[in-house]
Amino acid sequence: MSDWNTQVIEEFRANEGKVGGPFDGAPMVLLHHTGRKSGSEHVTPLMYLAADEPGTIYVFASAAGAPSHPAWYYNTTSAGETTVEVGTETYPVTVEELTGAERDRVYAEQKSRYAGFGEYEEKTAGIRTIPVLALHRA
């Protein structure tokens, strides 16, 4: 885990799920996942969007506009379930990848709230579509 992620995770846990800096005021989640090849446990801090459906949040495999999907995307989609930390609560979730119009609607909503997601989309145009995952409380 990078030093940057470690700092964000420590700040998240010390402040009941709130993080400052570039994430000040943004809804944050800590996504736990197991490496599909290594079997190692990982925790990745991500911004999320709360769904209208209670118990569901959306996360975005943007990787800040990198040309390939992040490792956590492959780890969570292959497992189909994982654990998240939201605020002071830790709970299991099932993982569903959104596609088509539903994916586009959710991504557009996140982009309207946080301009950086529009920039990530521009960086990946013609290379990959940024996946959107629905994490449903199990």
Side-chain angles (χ1 to χ4, degrees):
M1 181 183 328
S2 74
D3 288 339
W4 185 83
N5 274 357
T6 300
Q7 290 173 356
V8 172
I9 292 165
E10 289 173 357
E11 184 178 357
F12 179 101
R13 289 177 173 156
N15 296 295
E16 300 180 339
K18 294 182 180 25
V19 179
F23 300 116
D24 190 30
M28 296 292 296
V29 60
L30 298 183
L31 178 73
H32 295 245
H33 53 103
T34 303
R36 359 180 262 305
K37 297 176 185 173
S38 69
S40 298
E41 298 295 320
H42 303 280
V43 177
T44 302
L46 301 168
M47 288 176 65
Y48 74 88
L49 175 66
D52 291 336
E53 172 189 338
T56 297
I57 62 173
Y58 302 115
V59 293
F60 307 86
S62 66
S68 59
H69 299 331
W72 67 259
Y73 162 80
Y74 295 108
N75 294 341
T76 56
T77 55
S78 67
E81 59 187 18
T82 192
T83 302
V84 296
E85 293 177 55
V86 178
T88 58
E89 192 174 10
T90 301
Y91 56 89
V93 294
T94 58
V95 179
E96 174 193 10
E97 185 165 358
L98 303 184
T99 59
E102 184 179 22
R103 179 256 171 227
D104 295 347
R105 177 187 61 76
V106 172
Y107 196 88
E109 178 64 26
Q110 182 72 348
K111 186 170 62 172
S112 76
R113 294 175 186 216
Y114 301 97
F117 284 86
E119 295 168 16
Y120 304 153
E121 190 174 49
E122 289 173 16
K123 289 180 181 179
T124 60
I127 301 168
R128 69 181 181 99
T129 299
I130 295 172
V132 176
L133 302 181
L135 305 179
H136 305 284
R137 189 177 195 130

